[in-house]
Amino acid sequence: MPGWEAEKQLHSGCRSAKEDRSGYTDGQAERLAGYGRRLLELGTTVVTHPYGETLSGPDRGRPVPR
């Protein structure tokens, strides 16, 4: 990923910048994708758990958009 340097900000001497970065390695990218898959799996398990059907009124909360 290429670095960048922003223009000087009005009323400030601050100039934001980021150095060049190589990005994720293949192993890091795969691990991050695995975390996303696991998070989706766990979220689905919680949202669809039968316990939610036992609640009513304000205890039930807002419906999840599908």
Side-chain angles (χ1 to χ4, degrees):
M1 299 175 69
W4 54 268
E5 185 172 344
E7 297 292 321
K8 180 183 160 302
Q9 298 297 308
L10 185 63
H11 306 297
S12 171
C14 180
R15 181 171 260 186
S16 299
K18 294 287 181 187
E19 296 179 7
D20 288 343
R21 293 175 287 174
S22 60
Y24 293 121
T25 65
D26 290 343
Q28 290 170 326
E30 180 55 37
R31 190 173 12 189
L32 187 60
Y35 293 152
R37 289 189 297 271
R38 182 68 172 142
L39 184 59
L40 179 61
E41 175 188 346
L42 293 172
T44 301
T45 299
V46 169
V47 170
T48 60
H49 193 276
Y51 176 74
E53 297 299 320
T54 68
L55 303 175
S56 63
D59 292 335
R60 182 127 188 187
R62 292 184 291 169
V64 177
R66 294 185 189 249

